[in-house]
Amino acid sequence: MTKDRHCPLVDLHVSSPNAMRLNRLMRMSRRDTLMTGMAGMGVMAAGSVVAAEPSSGGDPELERFMKLSSRLTDRPSLDPRIGKALYERILQSGPERKAQLSKLADLLDGGTYENASAFAKAVEQADPALKDVIHDLMTGWYRGVADGKVVVYRSALMFDVTKDAIYPKTYAAGGPFYWTTQPPEVDKPTGAPALSPSKFDVEPT
Amino acid sequence: MSSDQNLSADVVIVGSGVAGSSIANELARAGISVIVLEAGPRVDRQHFVDNFRNLENKPSYQGPFPSTPWAEHPPNQITPNKYLHTSGPNAEAYQQVYLRMMGGTTWHWAGCAWRYLPSDFELKTRYGQGRDWALKYDDLEPFYYQAEVMMGVCGPDPKVEDLGSPRQQPYPMEALPISYAAQQFRKLISEKTPYRVVHEPQARNTRPYDGRPTCEGHNNCMPICPIGAMYNGGYSVYHAEAAGAKFIPNAVVYKIERDSANKKVTAVHYYDPDKGSHRVTGKYFVVAAHCIETAKLLLLSADEQSPDGVANSSGHVGRNMMDHTGVQVTFISGDKALWPGRGPLETNVIDNFRDGDWRGDRGAYLVHMVDDNQVDFATQLAISKGYVGKDLEDQIRYLASHTVRLFSHNEALPDPDNRLTLSTTHKDALGIPHPDVYYKLPEYTVRSCEHTRGLFKNLIGLMHGTDEQWTPGYFPQDHPSGSTIMGVDPKDSVVDGHCRTHDHENLFIASSSVFSTVGTGNITLTVAALALRVADTLKKELLHA
């Protein structure tokens, strides 16, 4: 366990006056929110998370899901509670998903990949249909959405990636007029896509 | 006989949005008894904030606001739609959204509080297009200011930045400091084009105002400000109730009753959610039920006395439907990082195309560089491009900091053929017909949109943009107007310059439905100013009768 791991998501929760006013756990009890039942595990537990640890409840399938997630995000540590909720929801997105996730895990076990891109490339070559499953995993961890439902909002990794510059909508914590200051510069990335491109439809307002 | 038979007030108002609630507030404060009938439910902000956070499609403005079976509203801007049925060559361009609930559609607006220009009221005289209003800018100026004070509008000092609408008083609050992204956009426009970017006047607090906090920049004005730093109609409801006005939620008005001479309205009838019918009498009546629902109610009230609908001797009820049609493009800037989405949603505007001699040929427009948090968009785009892992994270940062969205409000013209009618095929749970709208974009508007597309292409070039995504066709900006058009001649208009119906002396309309033309910029401040003018007329007549 990496108990000392700094967890900025918890900091964000504590630092936002608005968020403190609004009880996070209560929101999680809404029927539309899929982490119901795990709220009892407590927000504080978020400070001690790691992939494929006993917090997956010893469920070997969930442990494989966490291992896959870790590889595809290039992150050694991910919140297993979020992982459990994502896994359950992704399974509901189609009857073929369980077998596809298993095949994806087999491919990971059967090779050595230096990063997420290398693994994703190999997966699409082995079975083009698995691209959709990788999209599900990326959408789940980074957007916090699985099978068209919000699993987590503020804890989605897209906000972790951008937290030095911007707040998730409705969770601003910079005080009035923070927006006038110069945000960080961002260089053009050099990495290449791992998967073939897919159609992107902007959702209607 | 139910006790409801005793429901009566000096003034009965249909609709609790900005227009209805602000009239109620003014009258109640003057000691006049008021009943406001709202078709939808009483609602609270926190419920919508929770709904928003749990919504997958975050840009959906209607998403957090589900309607009730007895007061349906459009679920989204998709055609075909489950409630607002549009047809015609530009059906998609009139797929408006709005809310039927206590406080009205300003639960989701961006707080943009524009005054119209003096020329907007005289389009026919000055440019030979459309119509003139039956009032002038100067008639409305004091009420614009009253509306700005009511809402709490921040805006620039006219000596520093003149927005073209003469002011007798300064804005109630100082202009909102614009974001870094908007500052950079303003600099680019100033240095590389003949145009300018101005501070958008906004009903948003730059200091604590009216018991509401200073804006904290949650970037969620639409669909829901989480802290109430932005005005919405709900606040006028609270003030009016405190002053003694009675608001009845879930009261769906379906009939306007008149006297035997058909000159005066005597009562309105409403259904409760169980379709129990109730009658409310009064001395004066104001329909303030949004452009679409107002026309719908007048048509629905057709009977032997008025076979074409109430207040419709001209035949113009439901005609002349207008909007600010929009052109929209999203692209990735090739310049320095902007990180849009820090601060409120809409703060800056290119205003050079709001007026000019070319209005004889094409419609006016204004341009927003939308200051919208693009992190979710960037993530979806990067995933669709095929990125994973660390490369995906780098792309999210880059795209979120470089995505730019531009959109415009383009002026329509009143055309009697653009018409709202009652659906013959769709009804709601109470048996009330849904609204149908036929819409063909005026060529005047099409030419305006073409001009906007040219401007946007230039701006994309100046910002070294890539990955252009143009919203297909023309899209609605949810500013419907014109359905009970104002004019001096009762033969071709529904209300006079005081928003009183030509046909019924004690029936007023407070809505964008009275607009004779639609100018540019959000319509809400003009709706509020007209409503406050109606309140002023009613006060004079009731208190000095």
Side-chain angles (χ1 to χ4, degrees):
Chain A
M1 293 282 279
T2 53
K3 282 183 183 168
D4 297 330
R5 184 173 183 272
H6 179 67
C7 183
L9 301 179
V10 172
D11 289 351
L12 191 61
H13 163 69
V14 173
S15 66
S16 161
N18 195 45
M20 288 168 73
R21 201 160 57 238
L22 312 170
N23 187 314
R24 184 184 185 196
L25 298 179
M26 278 183 68
R27 282 201 313 283
M28 284 184 165
S29 69
R30 286 175 43 87
R31 78 185 147 75
D32 288 343
T33 303
L34 300 165
M35 287 187 65
T36 307
M38 294 192 299
M41 293 173 71
V43 171
M44 295 313 291
S48 56
V49 296
V50 68
E53 278 294 315
S55 48
S56 59
D59 178 347
E61 288 185 354
L62 180 57
E63 284 179 22
R64 294 186 92 195
F65 177 82
M66 291 304 293
K67 198 176 160 195
L68 267 177
S69 298
S70 185
R71 177 69 287 160
L72 283 166
T73 57
D74 286 326
R75 283 176 178 244
S77 301
L78 292 167
D79 188 328
R81 301 167 308 148
I82 296 173
K84 183 171 189 292
L86 289 174
Y87 178 63
E88 288 170 356
R89 194 73 215 179
I90 288 172
L91 285 186
Q92 288 180 40
S93 68
E96 71 287 359
R97 281 292 185 264
K98 195 176 173 79
Q100 286 176 322
L101 278 167
S102 182
K103 187 170 179 187
L104 204 54
D106 289 344
L107 285 168
L108 182 60
D109 289 341
T112 310
Y113 307 97
E114 64 170 342
N115 56 29
S117 281
F119 175 56
K121 263 184 210 162
V123 168
E124 195 176 15
Q125 272 190 342
D127 182 353
L130 292 179
K131 185 172 94 166
D132 289 346
V133 191
I134 295 177
H135 277 181
D136 281 2
L137 273 143
M138 295 295 96
T139 301
W141 284 106
Y142 285 96
R143 291 191 69 217
V145 169
D147 192 28
K149 287 275 188 182
V150 173
V151 175
V152 287
Y153 174 47
R154 194 171 34 162
S155 301
L157 291 181
M158 62 182 176
F159 295 125
D160 185 45
V161 171
T162 53
K163 65 179 181 289
D164 59 328
I166 201 164
Y167 301 103
K169 283 171 175 259
T170 75
Y171 287 108
F177 314 145
Y178 74 85
W179 50 86
T180 59
T181 58
Q182 183 171 0
E185 189 49 60
V186 180
D187 293 332
K188 191 156 193 172
T190 52
L195 300 168
S196 59
S198 303
K199 193 167 184 296
F200 174 45
D201 290 320
V202 180
E203 290 179 281
T205 55
Chain B
M1 297 273 279
S2 95
S3 59
D4 278 341
Q5 297 300 325
N6 297 324
L7 275 174
S8 185
D10 291 331
V11 180
V12 179
I13 300 171
V14 181
S16 71
V18 171
S21 60
S22 59
I23 294 171
N25 185 34
E26 285 299 311
L27 298 183
R29 275 165 204 286
I32 294 164
S33 66
V34 182
I35 291 175
V36 181
L37 303 168
E38 166 54 51
R42 188 179 285 277
V43 292
D44 72 276
R45 181 177 306 276
Q46 195 53 51
H47 178 69
F48 298 140
V49 175
D50 286 350
N51 283 354
F52 166 78
R53 289 171 175 161
N54 287 287
L55 190 68
E56 187 272 330
N57 180 15
K58 290 284 191 288
S60 168
Y61 298 149
Q62 295 285 93
F65 304 91
S67 62
T68 59
W70 57 89
E72 286 185 74
H73 54 232
N76 49 43
Q77 289 184 326
I78 296 170
T79 310
N81 196 277
K82 285 181 186 163
Y83 181 68
L84 176 61
H85 310 285
T86 61
S87 63
N90 301 103
E92 288 85 358
Y94 217 83
Q95 202 64 68
Q96 318 284 351
V97 295
Y98 55 99
L99 299 176
R100 293 175 77 191
M101 49 186 58
M102 195 75 87
T105 305
T106 47
W107 280 106
H108 67 49
W109 72 316
C112 306
W114 288 95
R115 292 181 175 202
Y116 278 173
L117 303 167
S119 57
D120 291 334
F121 298 92
E122 306 168 29
L123 200 65
K124 185 74 177 173
T125 298
R126 294 203 191 193
Y127 302 115
Q129 290 285 353
R131 297 182 177 215
D132 288 350
W133 293 48
L135 56 78
K136 303 278 190 203
Y137 176 85
D138 288 346
D139 297 324
L140 211 50
E141 203 280 338
F143 299 99
Y144 266 136
Y145 182 65
Q146 194 184 347
E148 287 164 346
V149 171
M150 177 186 83
M151 292 181 176
V153 176
C154 66
D157 179 348
K159 290 193 208 72
V160 180
E161 202 169 81
D162 184 357
L163 300 179
S165 302
R167 306 182 59 82
Q168 298 299 314
Q169 303 280 347
Y171 276 107
M173 279 181 274
E174 286 185 14
L176 185 101
I178 58 175
S179 70
Y180 176 80
Q183 293 166 33
Q184 297 309 110
F185 184 66
R186 185 174 157 109
K187 191 161 171 271
L188 175 97
I189 296 300
S190 165
E191 290 175 355
K192 302 273 177 67
T193 77
Y195 314 128
R196 69 170 188 174
V197 170
V198 296
H199 289 82
E200 181 150 43
Q202 299 161 61
R204 176 174 293 111
N205 290 354
T206 52
R207 60 178 167 83
Y209 189 93
D210 196 26
R212 296 180 284 114
T214 305
C215 175
E216 293 176 353
H218 290 274
N219 196 239
N220 207 55
C221 321
M222 293 186 287
I224 181 74
C225 171
I227 63 170
M230 182 179 73
Y231 169 86
N232 83 316
Y235 290 107
S236 291
V237 173
Y238 308 146
H239 285 317
E241 285 187 319
K246 180 181 175 67
F247 283 72
I248 304 178
N250 307 311
V252 185
V253 177
Y254 67 94
K255 186 163 74 180
I256 299 172
E257 177 191 305
R258 287 93 61 216
D259 62 9
S260 56
N262 202 17
K263 285 293 171 198
K264 291 186 79 164
V265 172
T266 47
V268 293
H269 297 249
Y270 75 84
Y271 288 134
D272 60 37
D274 298 321
K275 212 174 176 179
S277 188
H278 309 258
R279 180 171 181 264
V280 188
T281 56
K283 294 174 186 163
Y284 286 86
F285 296 81
V286 182
V287 181
H290 181 273
C291 174
I292 286 173
E293 297 299 323
T294 291
K296 199 184 101 178
L297 173 60
L298 297 179
L299 295 174
L300 195 62
S301 299
D303 53 20
E304 287 180 5
Q305 281 181 308
S306 297
D308 297 324
V310 165
N312 197 19
S313 63
S314 66
H316 275 263
V317 169
R319 295 186 182 271
N320 307 298
M321 304 299 285
M322 296 180 282
D323 182 33
H324 292 133
T325 300
V327 175
Q328 176 166 267
V329 66
T330 301
F331 62 95
I332 311 301
S333 161
D335 297 339
K336 299 268 187 193
L338 293 171
W339 288 106
R342 299 162 74 248
L345 203 54
E346 293 177 12
T347 63
N348 67 96
V349 153
I350 298 175
D351 75 338
N352 298 78
F353 306 100
R354 291 190 74 203
D355 198 21
D357 289 341
W358 37 261
R359 280 176 96 181
D361 175 58
R362 62 178 156 84
Y365 67 92
L366 58 71
V367 172
H368 279 105
M369 193 281 286
V370 189
D371 221 332
D372 200 0
N373 182 319
Q374 299 289 356
V375 173
D376 193 24
F377 170 84
T379 304
Q380 294 178 68
L381 180 59
I383 290 172
S384 75
K385 284 170 176 261
Y387 290 97
V388 296
K390 181 66 170 58
D391 291 329
L392 174 65
E393 297 189 2
D394 291 346
Q395 283 292 324
I396 291 171
R397 276 184 73 78
Y398 185 76
L399 296 172
S401 58
H402 287 75
T403 297
V404 177
R405 179 156 73 102
L406 303 173
F407 76 62
S408 59
H409 289 175
N410 298 69
E411 181 183 23
L413 284 179
D415 176 352
D417 289 341
N418 284 331
R419 186 178 185 190
L420 180 149
T421 52
L422 301 177
S423 174
T424 54
T425 50
H426 295 82
K427 289 182 178 179
D428 68 17
L430 296 171
I432 297 173
H434 288 181
D436 284 353
V437 175
Y438 170 92
Y439 199 63
K440 179 178 185 300
L441 272 171
E443 286 303 314
Y444 188 71
T445 310
V446 170
R447 285 194 290 275
S448 176
C449 290
E450 285 310 309
H451 194 273
T452 307
R453 284 199 181 89
L455 174 71
F456 285 6
K457 281 174 190 164
N458 284 342
L459 296 181
I460 293 167
L462 286 175
M463 298 177 86
H464 308 99
T466 56
D467 297 72
E468 288 171 40
Q469 299 203 34
W470 294 83
T471 301
Y474 306 91
F475 78 102
Q477 287 284 20
D478 308 322
H479 299 164
S481 41
S483 65
T484 64
I485 200 159
M486 175 192 290
V488 291
D489 187 349
K491 290 194 185 64
D492 69 1
S493 61
V494 180
V495 301
D496 67 15
H498 286 88
C499 300
R500 189 195 309 261
T501 58
H502 292 302
D503 295 355
H504 310 286
E505 62 191 55
N506 65 340
L507 177 63
F508 288 76
I509 294 175
S511 160
S512 56
S513 62
V514 306
F515 286 18
S516 304
T517 54
V518 73
T520 47
N522 182 293
I523 60 179
T524 304
L525 189 77
T526 302
V527 170
L530 289 167
L532 291 168
R533 194 159 177 261
V534 168
D536 190 60
T537 304
L538 290 173
K539 272 193 276 189
K540 283 175 184 155
E541 296 196 8
L542 277 160
L543 298 177
H544 303 294

